[in-house]
Amino acid sequence: MTTKNKSAGVNRRQFLSGATAGVAAAALTNPAAAQQGSSQAGAQLAAVTPPSAAAEAMEYDVPEGYSAEEAREYFVRHPGSDFMVDVIKDLELPFITTNPGSSFRGLHESIVNYGGNSKPELLTCPHEEQAIAMAHGYAKVAGGKPIGVLVHGTVGLQHASMAMYNAWCDRVPMVVLGGNHFDATERRSGVEWSHSAQDAARVVRDFTKWDDAPLSLQHFSESMARAYKIATTPPMGPVVVIIDGHLQEAEMGSQAPTIPGVAPTVPPRGGAAALEEAARWLVEAENPVIVVDLMAHDQDGVERLIELAEALQAPVVNQAGRMNFPNTHYLSQGSGVVAQADVILGLELYDTWGLLNTLRDRVHRDEQRIARPDARVIDIGVKDLFIKSNYQSFQRYHASDLSIAGDAQETLPSLTEEVRQQMSRARRASNSEREQRWRAAHAQTRARDLDAARYGWGASPVSTARLYMELWQLVKDRDWALVSNDSLQSRWARRLWTIDRHYQHIGRAGGAGLGYGAPSAVGAALAHRAHGRLAINVQRDGDLMYVPGILWTAAHHEIPLLSVTHNNRGYHQEFMHLQRMAARRQRGIDGSSRVGNELDHPAIDFAKVAAGMGVWSEGPITDPNDLRPALIRALDVVDQGEPALVDVICQPR
Amino acid sequence: MLAKPCTVARALSALLILMCVEVSFAQDADQAASDGRALFTANQCWQCHGYEGQGGAAVRIAPTLYPFEAFARLVRHTNLMPAYSPNVLSDEKLRQIYEYVRSVPEPPALEDIPELSGD
């Protein structure tokens, strides 16, 4: 890590704290603030004042052998990017993931030397897609607190775009800073032209909440505050601020920008009248069912949902965009309960229509209703509060019977209170019978899942059930977190592990774009590192092939993470699609589905790939009896604060 | 009373024939299962159902619980999996696959797998 050379003189931040702090500084540089009164100005403004002659002399002595004119030509006293670092520090972004680029070289240098490479600390990623996905994984663990991403002009944002789409679909905040050179007369020939754009953020605008391209440092300061506020207000999402190369590198001169600070926005909540109506429907229902997807921001969301579900004794179907509900709670039920529901409460659903209907994958795609025809649907969520047209991430339209705009986690306490108030004694008495019914159903499901896991137990390739249960034996008594999604491994973690904390399951990618899994796992592991948690990543082979360089990032920055590959040597989903097409066309599928889909011949040796990136590794494991000893060895490495990878040749799912 | 030698011989012959038939049937079944495994692999049934038919993207099919007619109907006429017509998978081959999934042995009992029977 490069550290700031403190012997070089009084830097800007030190100058600010040592010379004229708070009110005086604000008054000097912002007459309007001075008129507002000293306490308010002092609290809201951290002003930048011109250095005194003495400080200037200390900091910017003309180096020996240079004339004053040469010094002005060669050296910059107060680069604009130093102030940008002040702004970023004020936002308390702890990390900035980046792949280096010349369009932000000024800010890069300021972060490292002026900012001391601490809060934010730069994390090196070999690809912008990884940098974005790391930020994605981090924010999901950090309760929606974002980190920054610094990307190169044009090509950097192009590389970043897919991962930003995932974050957009997944409603995850991040502050992306993109380099650019606005002034054509200031661009050097070559890259500074080809990596600049009239409208640099256009390439990602369809899937960002907001972007700006500030032309002054004051503009930058205010745009960053606005960007942060927008990104972290539900529905959350990525934002972009384009930073001009000249603005970063030029002398601040007489500019005296201020930092406005961020006043958090209280998330939107559902209206009282609508919640009263919703509660009435739920209380009166014979078979109310709660379905939840992108809801819980943190453990509070989980606890609030438990309160509502228990008040109603209504089953909860967790679609696992987030960890919303403990899988060990007796009200945690499978999606089959939707078919019997007379009232369905949807909380931050990604796809309401798809919950109630299905479109069969046949030659003629016909719809079938899954839910009862008379089932009423209450939708609570923020999806209608912010939506864009082009990319179809919003799913098919459904006219819910009662649609309530509001952040579901914020809205739940009011709804639960309303349910309790409306619940009659007779209705409350029925809760006991309902509870017994759901306890029995939950126990049956648990027994079925355990029984299902024994099939293929001794198989080679290793069954995914075996993989998860061997892991579970080693982690169940520790403070662990699964930083990958088990949906393509038959959901074994959610079926057989005990998941009762929000941070223990990270949910899905959002936009289903491959190349998310490995870097988001590393980003999540980074967030867990601060809490000393064991981060576990069951890593799909196809996903890792997009972004293998993230292994190096984990090693370089000493991010402890246990990765276990679910290596089925192919893009398995696509195998099945090709089989379906060949069967539909009656052409046979003897081996043809391998073409274009397999990751074999030669088989990829992920242990060697990881070793080449500086990550301890072992494998390939083909015998299930070899798995646990390898995992134990890998855990020893992770416990030393480093990443480790065990390559396991697995069944398809 | 002792049986006549010719009667004993006839009985032994009949028994031998029966045993041969049984062995032959067993061999046929083994062969069908072996051929069926090859077809199970070649036709990529394992992509959805797992190499052991234990399930995965689709339901468990081994050891099969269905009679052949039900099994065949699920393969030929289904809303879930792609319909495999006789043009791509003959009745004979389908029968061999069925013999394979029927031959897959039961896994260990739950209580014999500590990882599943413990916590």
Side-chain angles (χ1 to χ4, degrees):
Chain A
M1 186 175 82
T2 308
T3 54
K4 190 166 146 184
N5 180 1
K6 296 190 175 174
S7 65
V10 179
N11 66 33
R12 182 176 198 80
R13 181 165 286 273
Q14 290 168 324
F15 173 78
L16 275 176
S17 61
T20 51
V23 178
L28 273 172
T29 58
N30 189 333
Q35 291 170 8
Q36 287 172 8
S38 60
S39 61
Q40 186 180 358
Q44 294 185 351
L45 299 174
V48 178
T49 62
S52 67
E56 191 170 350
M58 285 175 64
E59 190 173 2
Y60 297 112
D61 280 345
V62 175
E64 191 176 335
Y66 293 90
S67 67
E69 187 176 346
E70 282 180 316
R72 277 196 298 275
E73 192 62 31
Y74 294 157
F75 307 115
V76 175
R77 298 178 177 182
H78 299 290
S81 55
D82 282 2
F83 174 71
M84 292 179 176
V85 170
D86 287 338
V87 172
I88 293 167
K89 281 180 177 289
D90 188 72
L91 293 174
E92 298 182 347
L93 300 176
F95 298 102
I96 290 183
T97 57
T98 190
N99 181 251
S102 59
S103 59
F104 60 82
R105 62 184 188 177
L107 181 56
H108 190 160
E109 192 278 338
S110 289
I111 292 171
V112 173
N113 289 325
Y114 175 73
N117 196 29
S118 176
K119 298 181 179 177
E121 176 188 353
L122 283 182
L123 302 173
T124 313
C125 296
H127 195 297
E128 287 84 354
E129 189 169 296
Q130 299 173 16
I132 298 287
M134 265 191 82
H136 188 161
Y138 183 96
K140 289 180 88 166
V141 172
K145 184 167 175 53
I147 62 174
V149 187
L150 190 50
V151 301
H152 188 33
T154 302
V155 291
L157 266 178
Q158 288 169 343
H159 273 307
S161 60
M162 188 289 296
M164 290 181 71
Y165 183 65
N166 272 337
W168 162 260
C169 295
D170 205 20
R171 302 182 195 167
V172 170
M174 62 185 64
V175 179
V176 180
L177 297 163
N180 196 36
H181 288 279
F182 291 116
D183 187 343
T185 66
E186 291 279 344
R187 294 178 199 150
R188 292 175 298 138
S189 293
V191 164
E192 285 191 358
W193 275 87
S194 57
H195 290 180
S196 292
Q198 282 184 337
D199 183 2
R202 182 178 179 181
V203 66
V204 294
R205 186 164 296 138
D206 275 333
F207 38 87
T208 48
K209 276 191 80 178
W210 186 73
D211 67 85
D212 199 11
L215 295 175
S216 71
L217 291 173
Q218 185 62 46
H219 187 174
F220 171 81
S221 176
E222 293 175 16
S223 289
M224 284 292 285
R226 190 192 303 274
Y228 188 97
K229 189 177 172 76
I230 290 173
T232 54
T233 300
M236 301 185 200
V239 292
V240 179
V241 175
I242 301 298
I243 47 172
D244 177 42
H246 184 71
L247 197 61
Q248 298 170 55
E249 297 184 21
E251 178 66 50
M252 286 177 62
S254 61
Q255 292 186 75
T258 57
I259 301 173
V262 176
T265 304
V266 176
R269 297 177 187 176
L275 293 177
E276 185 181 339
E277 180 75 355
R280 188 172 64 80
W281 292 9
L282 288 165
V283 168
E284 290 176 356
E286 285 295 319
N287 290 301
V289 170
I290 301 169
V291 186
V292 57
D293 195 4
L294 296 162
M295 188 199 75
H297 305 304
D298 49 35
Q299 188 66 21
D300 280 350
V302 176
E303 303 298 336
R304 290 173 187 183
L305 183 52
I306 292 172
E307 286 188 24
L308 176 65
E310 289 184 349
L312 287 163
Q313 286 301 320
V316 176
V317 179
N318 189 0
Q319 293 188 323
R322 301 286 185 275
M323 188 292 179
N324 297 296
F325 198 74
N327 66 341
T328 49
H329 194 288
Y330 63 92
L331 288 172
S332 176
Q333 300 288 333
S335 59
V337 297
V338 171
Q340 281 81 47
D342 52 354
V343 174
I344 298 167
L345 171 63
L347 300 173
E348 303 290 1
L349 294 185
Y350 183 62
D351 183 7
T352 305
W353 188 91
L355 172 70
L356 310 169
N357 307 278
T358 185
L359 195 68
R360 293 190 297 181
D361 191 356
R362 303 171 67 164
V363 176
H364 301 291
R365 295 188 170 190
D366 57 336
E367 308 172 17
Q368 286 190 327
R369 175 87 173 177
I370 298 169
R372 280 169 40 171
D374 61 343
R376 291 187 293 178
V377 177
I378 305 162
D379 242 337
I380 301 179
V382 291
K383 63 184 172 188
D384 291 339
L385 298 184
F386 196 80
I387 198 166
K388 293 195 182 186
S389 305
N390 188 22
Y391 293 101
Q392 305 288 294
S393 58
F394 34 78
Q395 305 294 312
R396 190 164 173 180
Y397 178 74
H398 177 263
S400 295
D401 301 274
L402 184 54
S403 189
I404 302 173
D407 180 78
Q409 175 168 328
E410 288 298 313
T411 303
L412 276 184
S414 301
L415 178 60
T416 304
E417 182 58 30
E418 195 61 48
V419 162
R420 286 176 174 146
Q421 285 185 12
Q422 294 193 29
M423 192 164 281
S424 66
R425 186 169 296 179
R427 171 62 180 81
R428 190 170 285 112
S430 75
N431 271 350
S432 176
E433 180 275 326
R434 294 179 191 222
E435 178 179 337
Q436 294 310 311
R437 175 160 41 109
W438 294 122
R439 282 190 184 279
H442 188 268
Q444 284 175 1
T445 301
R446 170 77 180 172
R448 274 200 305 270
D449 288 338
L450 284 168
D451 188 65
R454 69 190 178 97
Y455 289 88
W457 187 256
S460 176
V462 179
S463 80
T464 51
R466 179 77 180 263
L467 184 149
Y468 271 93
M469 291 313 286
E470 292 285 357
L471 262 173
W472 181 239
Q473 299 308 309
L474 299 175
V475 307
K476 63 184 180 184
D477 296 324
R478 303 181 54 163
D479 187 14
W480 59 270
L482 186 64
V483 292
S484 52
N485 180 13
D486 64 349
S487 291
L488 296 185
Q489 291 116 25
S490 302
R491 301 183 300 107
W492 284 118
R494 281 175 285 161
R495 291 165 75 182
L496 296 179
W497 291 16
T498 296
I499 300 177
D500 54 13
R501 307 297 299 172
H502 176 266
Y503 61 73
Q504 287 175 328
H505 193 264
I506 196 172
R508 57 177 180 263
L514 285 185
Y516 160 86
S520 71
V522 173
L526 175 68
H528 286 305
R529 186 176 70 179
H531 302 279
R533 295 184 195 125
L534 169 63
I536 306 154
N537 169 33
V538 178
Q539 174 63 50
R540 292 181 286 147
D541 54 341
D543 179 271
L544 185 54
M545 285 297 283
Y546 277 77
V547 284
I550 195 64
L551 295 169
W552 176 86
T553 299
H556 181 69
H557 292 289
E558 298 180 342
I559 300 171
L561 170 65
L562 173 61
S563 292
V564 183
T565 64
H566 169 215
N567 185 355
N568 57 24
R569 292 182 168 160
Y571 299 105
H572 176 248
Q573 186 78 26
E574 280 57 46
F575 270 103
M576 295 188 293
H577 280 305
L578 203 58
Q579 278 181 278
R580 184 175 291 276
M581 289 299 98
R584 184 175 295 174
R585 296 164 185 182
Q586 300 192 74
R587 291 171 177 163
I589 32 70
D590 285 11
S592 62
S593 61
R594 291 186 179 279
V595 179
N597 289 332
E598 71 174 1
L599 289 170
D600 205 351
H601 307 104
I604 298 156
D605 189 334
F606 285 105
K608 284 186 177 173
V609 172
M613 300 284 183
V615 172
W616 184 96
S617 61
E618 189 165 328
I621 303 289
T622 55
D623 184 339
N625 295 317
D626 294 337
L627 182 53
R628 193 178 305 188
L631 293 174
I632 291 171
R633 289 187 286 273
L635 275 173
D636 284 344
V637 174
V638 175
D639 286 341
Q640 301 302 313
E642 295 176 24
L645 180 143
V646 178
D647 183 21
V648 186
I649 309 305
C650 288
Q651 298 275 330
R653 283 200 180 170
Chain B
M1 189 177 75
L2 292 174
K4 293 178 181 176
C6 58
T7 306
V8 172
R10 276 200 295 272
L12 284 173
S13 298
L15 184 61
L16 195 61
I17 289 168
L18 278 172
M19 288 173 66
C20 287
V21 168
E22 280 192 10
V23 168
S24 175
F25 279 157
Q27 285 176 339
D28 287 349
D30 286 349
Q31 187 60 47
S34 175
D35 293 346
R37 182 180 180 92
L39 288 165
F40 183 88
T41 302
N43 286 282
Q44 312 272 310
C45 307
W46 52 272
Q47 291 285 0
C48 300
H49 299 287
Y51 289 103
E52 309 296 317
Q54 79 274 15
V59 297
R60 177 173 71 79
I61 56 171
T64 184
L65 307 172
Y66 306 120
F68 175 72
E69 291 70 21
F71 183 82
R73 179 154 189 84
L74 287 171
V75 173
R76 302 264 193 246
H77 308 276
T78 173
N79 288 330
L80 298 174
M81 64 178 282
Y84 282 62
S85 80
N87 292 335
V88 296
L89 191 63
S90 68
D91 286 343
E92 181 188 358
K93 288 181 176 176
L94 185 58
R95 170 74 75 169
Q96 289 171 322
I97 291 173
Y98 174 75
E99 292 299 337
Y100 165 62
V101 298
R102 200 169 66 156
S103 74
V104 172
E106 274 284 332
L110 210 53
E111 53 270 26
D112 294 330
I113 304 175
E115 293 84 353
L116 297 177
S117 56
D119 178 16

